[in-house]
Amino acid sequence: MTEKILLSSPHMSDEGYEMQYVQEAFDKNWIAPLGENVNEFENELAAKVGAKSAAALSSGTAAIHLALKAAGVGEGDIVFCPSLTFSATANPIIYQNATPVFIDSDYETWNMSPEALEEAFEKYPDVKAVIVVHLYGLSADLDKIVDVCNKHNVVLIEDAAESLGTYYKGQHTGTFGDYGVFSFNGNKIITTSGGGMLVSANDERVEKARFWATQSRDKARHYQHSELGYNYRMSNVVAGIGRGQLKVLEKRVAQKRLIYETYRQELGSLDGVQFMPANKWDEPNRWLSALTLHGQIRPLDVIEALEKENIDSRPIWKPMHLQPFFNDYDFIGDGVAERLFENGLCLPSDTKMTEEDLGKVIKTIKGLWS
Ligand SMILES: *Cc1c(COP(=O)(O)O)cnc(C)c1O
């Protein structure tokens, strides 16, 4: 049995940077809580993306939750959220007892449609916050979305969990909104095994997020709490992995781009195949290579053919407004997210794939067309 070709798996540095930082944490017994790796990972990530301030947290989901809280989102508030995303974008809205309104995608970006967003503002003028996602490392049309949010004076949160290393017009995604969120989950472009980061230009709000994330302990000798707290901080061991991974981010992006370019060259002219969008203002990290199919061969045919060869692939995220759990919430749009879901597919984009692996994936897919 040949080894499985994976969608996207952890890829530690050849140099062993991660182990050096983890070893240091062990040597100094900075196992928990917090410590130098956490502080430095925050500084290094903030410097990398050009954010002023960062808080290292236990997950990207926790970072979205605290961004909503920092934005003042509470019970009964409305939050606009793209429908085409992973459920982790939407769940924290419910944690805050707020109400999501799901926004359609557009074909130009696969992300939040600025037109649908405008429409949502007309219907819900008292909305409290907007979450925009950069799906599969493609950036949303940020100029338009930032404009709409500014015009309505509403907080913008960027879920950049999938887009670390992506630039929009030369600036890192995650730094356009009032808050940005990154994830270091196991399948993301770099990983700490699990973790997240909240970034913002607002130091005070980030400091507040750190406070909430450590059980909201007041500055008192005894244990005193005047606010609800969470156990959301990143551990110092995990942060050591993150510091090492950050050193190879550019390498991972380069490899992801090579994978994407190879797929596009080899598969782009097959009948009915359309690759994910490319926009001149976007420099995507190509976290996952994705395409849509518009001919006789359907995404499931490809997924099953790959599965037979022990190769992993996935459908596009199922839109939130079609999920049983989120069924009752409003959706603004006209079915773009749904059509992307029906026709879309993510190809294996693992940076550990060899040239042979990539060739095998391509050959298996081409086989369906011959
Ligand atoms: C992975 C992901 C998250 C959640 O990050 P975790 O670190 O797994 O909690 C949020 N949003 C999107 C779009 C993601 O892909």
Side-chain angles (χ1 to χ4, degrees):
M1 191 76 178
T2 53
E3 218 172 301
K4 187 167 190 169
I5 298 176
L6 299 168
L7 193 74
S8 183
S9 73
H11 190 169
M12 296 297 117
S13 66
D14 296 334
E15 295 84 351
Y17 298 131
E18 298 85 356
M19 268 315 288
Q20 287 168 26
Y21 290 118
V22 170
Q23 190 60 50
E24 208 174 285
F26 273 65
D27 291 345
K28 295 180 178 169
N29 202 33
W30 268 335
I31 306 302
L34 303 173
E36 187 180 319
N37 281 339
V38 171
N39 299 336
E40 288 307 314
F41 188 34
E42 287 176 346
N43 293 336
E44 288 159 7
L45 183 118
K48 177 78 80 181
V49 302
K52 191 163 169 218
S53 203
L57 301 169
S58 53
S59 69
T61 310
I64 296 170
H65 186 188
L66 294 187
L68 287 166
K69 203 171 151 68
V73 170
E75 182 146 15
D77 286 332
I78 286 166
V79 178
F80 296 157
C81 171
S83 185
L84 192 69
T85 186
F86 180 44
S87 66
T89 311
N91 282 331
I93 302 170
I94 309 294
Y95 302 166
Q96 284 302 95
N97 296 312
T99 304
V101 170
F102 295 112
I103 313 291
D104 209 355
S105 299
D106 61 27
Y107 289 118
E108 289 71 36
T109 66
W110 285 15
N111 287 303
M112 183 180 263
S113 151
E115 287 73 33
L117 180 63
E118 277 280 21
E119 208 181 302
F121 269 107
E122 275 161 38
K123 190 164 175 188
Y124 299 99
D126 54 352
V127 57
K128 191 82 180 186
V130 174
I131 307 178
V132 65
V133 179
H134 307 298
L135 217 62
Y136 304 126
L138 294 175
S139 79
D141 196 347
L142 280 162
D143 276 353
K144 286 188 194 156
I145 286 164
V146 167
D147 264 5
V148 178
C149 290
N150 284 345
K151 194 172 89 188
H152 296 274
N153 203 16
V154 164
V155 173
L156 177 63
I157 297 166
E158 278 180 272
D159 177 350
E162 301 179 2
S163 73
L164 181 60
T166 293
Y167 295 82
Y168 175 88
K169 295 188 178 174
Q171 183 181 334
H172 274 276
T173 54
T175 62
F176 288 82
D178 298 275
Y179 301 96
V181 168
F182 298 102
S183 165
F184 313 108
N185 186 15
N187 67 7
K188 296 298 183 338
I189 192 148
I190 61 169
T191 181
T192 60
S193 75
M197 195 78 78
L198 175 69
V199 302
S200 177
N202 189 332
D203 294 326
E204 262 173 61
R205 293 274 86 187
V206 171
E207 190 50 43
K208 190 79 192 197
R210 288 195 195 98
F211 168 77
W212 289 324
T214 40
Q215 308 287 16
S216 296
R217 280 178 65 178
D218 290 345
K219 284 198 171 69
R221 191 178 291 278
H222 52 280
Y223 285 88
Q224 177 173 296
H225 307 274
S226 357
E227 287 189 61
L228 177 63
Y230 301 85
N231 185 3
Y232 274 176
R233 270 302 242 172
M234 181 180 279
S235 97
N236 196 57
V237 175
V238 156
I241 305 175
R243 292 182 74 189
Q245 284 272 279
L246 210 49
K247 289 186 192 287
V248 293
L249 173 62
E250 285 81 7
K251 254 192 207 170
R252 297 295 173 265
V253 172
Q255 185 62 22
K256 295 273 192 190
R257 286 184 180 160
L258 184 70
I259 292 167
Y260 168 83
E261 285 306 331
T262 309
Y263 280 140
R264 212 178 44 104
Q265 270 175 25
E266 295 287 335
L267 307 173
S269 57
L270 293 176
D271 191 42
V273 168
Q274 201 176 341
F275 268 82
M276 62 211 292
N279 292 297
K280 62 179 185 311
W281 34 258
D282 194 5
E283 291 168 65
N285 68 3
R286 299 293 180 204
W287 172 56
L288 294 185
S289 289
L291 47 77
T292 51
L293 296 175
H294 304 276
Q296 285 218 300
I297 291 155
R298 305 304 304 146
L300 193 61
D301 300 327
V302 178
I303 291 171
E304 286 178 350
L306 290 172
E307 209 165 55
K308 280 202 194 100
E309 298 296 324
N310 206 19
I311 301 167
D312 213 2
S313 63
R314 297 282 161 83
I316 296 290
W317 300 121
K318 181 173 178 177
M320 289 302 113
H321 74 283
L322 303 176
Q323 300 286 353
F325 181 73
F326 291 110
N327 237 336
D328 293 339
Y329 299 102
D330 202 2
F331 168 73
I332 311 284
D334 51 16
V336 176
E338 197 166 339
R339 283 193 290 275
L340 288 171
F341 164 62
E342 282 167 2
N343 297 320
L345 163 77
C346 299
L347 300 177
S349 308
D350 194 17
T351 50
K352 290 186 128 166
M353 273 192 295
T354 61
E355 231 168 281
E356 269 165 33
D357 291 337
L358 200 55
K360 185 177 164 188
V361 177
I362 289 163
K363 190 171 156 224
T364 306
I365 296 173
K366 277 185 172 167
L368 286 164
W369 267 262
S370 58

